[in-house]
Amino acid sequence: MNIYVGNLSYRMTDAELKEAFAPFGEIRRAKVVMDRETNRSKGFGFVEMDDDTAAQNAITELNGKEIGGRALRVNEARPRD
């Protein structure tokens, strides 16, 4: 399952994002989206997990949780248009 994570701290790294989701199960990939021109975080990212049950638990537990001084918005990622 691909999970959207919004309202991230602009200082959060891929490793820190992965660490936040690690207690819920195996992480295939964790990526903070960066601006191509400034190389700064855009404040959101994506986490991929193979186990849908673990991913759903992560969404439930982390949505609204404060990390890095910001309350995360976590939900299942919608396909790109």
Side-chain angles (χ1 to χ4, degrees), residues 9-78:
S9 163
Y10 292 105
R11 293 188 180 106
M12 183 166 273
T13 65
D14 294 347
E16 290 169 332
L17 181 58
K18 184 175 184 176
E19 187 178 306
F21 280 78
F24 300 97
E26 186 76 26
I27 310 299
R28 186 185 320 156
R29 184 171 157 231
K31 184 73 179 154
V32 175
V33 177
M34 305 298 274
D35 184 282
R36 289 182 184 154
E37 293 179 21
T38 64
N39 202 32
R40 291 187 60 209
S41 168
K42 287 190 170 188
F44 69 94
F46 296 93
V47 175
E48 291 179 30
M49 299 179 78
D50 288 329
D51 183 345
D52 287 351
T53 303
Q56 200 58 54
N57 287 340
I59 291 169
T60 302
E61 292 293 321
L62 293 176
N63 189 41
K65 182 175 180 180
E66 193 170 303
I67 295 180
R70 301 180 70 129
L72 301 183
R73 283 194 308 270
V74 185
N75 52 41
E76 187 173 349
R78 289 182 234 127

